[in-house]
Amino acid sequence: MANKIVIMGSLNLDTIIKINRMPVPGETLSTDYKANSPGGKGANQAVAAARAGSQTSFIGKIGKDQSGDYMLNCLKQENIDTAAVVYDDNVGTGAAEIFLYPDGQNSILVYGGSNQTLSVDEVDANAEKIAAADFLIAQFEIPQEAILAGFKIAKQNNVKTVLNPAPAQNINPEIIKLTDILIPNETESETLTGIKITDIDSMSQTRKAFAKMGVDNIIVTVGSRGAYYATKNADGFQAANKVQAVDTTAAGDTFIGALTAKLDKSFNNLAEAISFAQKASAITVQRVGAQPSIPTLKEITDYIAQSK
Ligand code: RIB
């Protein structure tokens, strides 16, 4: 049966600009490629979870503007339940400028906008929706107080919590104690623990550092190399599929959404779910844009069949 997933998070209208290098202060450079597409870490993760086959609901906030309506419609088109998406009367919808380099890497500048005004009351108003889910996912493009409120409801109702601490920032210790699985990338992990992950040993130290903070299950994604994972009973590294990346935007979001769609609440199939999520991300990085790049379940299963 498909997992029921609630995502609390951001919705951003992305503007993608291809560049060879960043202009230095005082310099003007031109580009021959600019495009808008739906993004935001939260919305991307919701789209990834929905396309991977889960029953998905979204809690978030948009402005009363064209991009807000556009972002909302994009989620609706994916059959994502958007009843918990609310409008801010004064603040505009979030936006991101994505500077895309020829090797597929990017630099991103985010305007939080209405994502940053999501309140505890607006989360609490959706207690029933959260309580009925298998998993609740959050990232750091919404206020931590809102995340804490959601995670409290989740833990009172046996809902597994997934925290993607992106963009990296100090975590309220109460949130981490309520987190069932933490999924940072290597930079975010190092920011939080001070430990650089280079091998299984450093991953084991990282696991201990996070366990001290209060979370036992972690997956640290290390870009095109793969993912380290550790639970109380198991740890390991799973190499990623080697592909020619054209745009790595939303690779991590795809990983988290697809992983959670596949993951059993016992976490017993963690390695299998990581492998599935890596295949989904491998497809995403071969296309330009955030949500337009995220694969459907059929695309993922076809890719798995081809790579056997
Ligand atoms: O993770 C990728 C996302 O980060 C982009 O879609 C952009 O909106 C930023 O939030």
Side-chain angles (χ1 to χ4, degrees):
M1 233 192 26
N3 276 338
K4 267 178 134 179
I5 303 179
V6 174
I7 288 105
M8 284 192 294
S10 56
L11 308 106
N12 295 332
L13 181 68
D14 290 350
T15 301
I16 303 149
I17 298 167
K18 286 191 179 173
I19 58 169
N20 291 315
R21 64 171 177 84
M22 277 293 200
V24 297
E27 182 185 28
T28 302
L29 289 177
S30 59
T31 179
D32 56 8
Y33 183 94
K34 173 186 168 286
N36 288 320
S37 73
K41 294 186 192 305
N44 297 344
Q45 291 172 18
V47 169
R51 288 190 189 157
S54 70
Q55 202 183 314
T56 309
S57 303
F58 195 79
I59 300 173
K61 202 158 181 180
I62 50 178
K64 287 188 165 164
D65 47 28
Q66 263 188 355
S67 19
D69 293 338
Y70 173 66
M71 293 303 305
L72 186 62
N73 275 331
C74 288
L75 294 188
K76 284 184 178 163
Q77 276 166 19
E78 304 294 332
N79 291 321
I80 293 170
D81 163 24
T82 58
V85 176
V86 290
Y87 284 95
D88 191 303
D89 287 335
N90 307 306
V91 183
T93 302
E97 298 297 314
I98 301 182
F99 301 99
L100 179 59
Y101 298 98
D103 66 354
Q105 296 300 315
N106 59 43
S107 299
I108 304 181
L109 202 60
V110 175
Y111 163 69
S114 51
N115 297 308
Q116 287 302 325
T117 70
L118 185 70
S119 69
V120 169
D121 286 350
E122 286 158 346
V123 173
D124 283 346
N126 291 291
E128 273 183 31
K129 198 181 285 287
I130 294 172
D134 297 305
F135 289 92
L136 175 65
I137 309 179
Q139 338 66 33
F140 282 163
E141 288 186 332
I142 55 170
Q144 291 202 22
E145 307 83 73
I147 297 174
L148 180 59
F151 276 24
K152 279 183 182 164
I153 299 166
K155 294 316 295 168
Q156 285 157 8
N157 291 281
N158 192 29
V159 177
K160 295 289 180 194
T161 52
V162 180
L163 181 65
N164 170 221
Q169 53 183 257
N170 289 333
I171 307 183
N172 175 340
E174 271 194 87
I175 295 181
I176 207 155
K177 289 194 184 99
L178 297 175
T179 299
D180 288 307
I181 185 159
L182 184 77
I183 313 183
N185 66 21
E186 55 195 316
T187 317
E188 290 146 6
S189 176
E190 191 178 342
T191 304
L192 295 169
T193 63
I195 302 165
K196 190 172 180 63
I197 298 183
T198 49
D199 52 17
I200 287 281
D201 269 359
S202 46
M203 180 60 185
S204 171
Q205 289 167 33
T206 300
R207 189 186 73 74
K208 283 183 193 142
F210 280 125
K212 252 189 177 171
M213 295 181 208
V215 60
D216 286 323
N217 306 301
I218 53 172
I219 302 173
V220 183
T221 54
V222 287
S224 59
R225 283 178 290 145
Y228 287 98
Y229 63 94
T231 64
K232 268 192 170 165
N233 313 316
D235 61 13
F237 173 76
Q238 239 164 256
N241 299 71
K242 292 278 167 253
V243 292
Q244 188 66 47
V246 298
D247 179 4
T248 57
T249 309
D253 299 330
T254 302
F255 180 89
I256 289 164
L259 175 106
T260 313
K262 188 79 180 169
L263 193 59
D264 193 274
K265 274 182 89 175
S266 66
F267 296 162
N268 280 341
N269 67 341
L270 188 64
E272 187 197 337
I274 290 174
S275 171
F276 176 81
Q278 285 175 322
K279 302 285 189 300
S281 290
I283 299 173
T284 296
V285 301
Q286 295 178 73
R287 305 166 174 171
V288 174
Q291 287 170 36
S293 304
I294 297 169
T296 60
L297 183 57
K298 180 168 185 323
E299 287 175 316
I300 304 169
T301 50
D302 285 353
Y303 184 78
I304 291 171
Q306 280 161 25
S307 38
K308 270 186 184 153

